[in-house]
Amino acid sequence: MFSKQKPPAIRSLIADGNHIEGHVHFRDGLRVDGTIVGNVRAREEDSSILVISETASILGEVHADHVIVNGTIKGPVYARQMLELQPKARIEGDVFYTALEMHQGAIIAGLLRPTPSMLEDKPALKLAATGN
């Protein structure tokens, strides 16, 4: 189900201190350190990665293959392949995922909803180890 292909390169950055109002569409990889008020969506045709750092906040929907969160999202999250929630992740909205890794300290105020492909293939839910 999950190939070990190399993840796409992060080619774009929304730096800390930047504030964008409007929808953001990207391909390959995007790192967000600033604020976005609008939906963030990766092209479905290409493999994608979205990194939301601890200084970042997004008010809107998030769509990408691989989503790594250590900041704040207020809106639904659609991770087509993998969702990684780091210790400072805060999500207010429903989460749709195929595979999920959640570290201690991460918070979701919404429903966890597996995608239909997850229900068919049944990948394991991975809980991140603490410490060390």
Side-chain angles (χ1 to χ4, degrees), residues 2-72:
F2 298 108
S3 63
K4 293 289 183 180
Q5 69 183 11
K6 184 178 174 184
I10 294 178
R11 300 185 188 280
S12 301
L13 167 69
I14 297 172
D16 190 13
N18 287 319
H19 179 93
I20 294 177
E21 293 189 23
H23 302 311
V24 175
H25 298 269
F26 71 97
R27 63 186 309 173
D28 296 329
L30 170 65
R31 178 183 171 103
V32 179
D33 293 341
T35 301
I36 299 173
V37 178
N39 299 336
V40 178
R41 183 181 297 268
R43 286 178 39 145
E44 291 187 31
E45 300 82 26
D46 303 317
S47 181
S48 61
I49 185 167
L50 174 63
V51 178
I52 301 163
S53 77
E54 72 178 77
T55 61
S57 67
I58 296 175
L59 178 58
E61 293 183 7
V62 171
H63 297 259
D65 290 333
H66 189 162
V67 181
I68 302 170
V69 182
N70 204 23
T72 302

Side-chain angles (χ1 to χ4, degrees), residues 102-104 127-131:
M102 185 172 181
H103 289 255
Q104 184 175 359
L127 299 176
T130 62

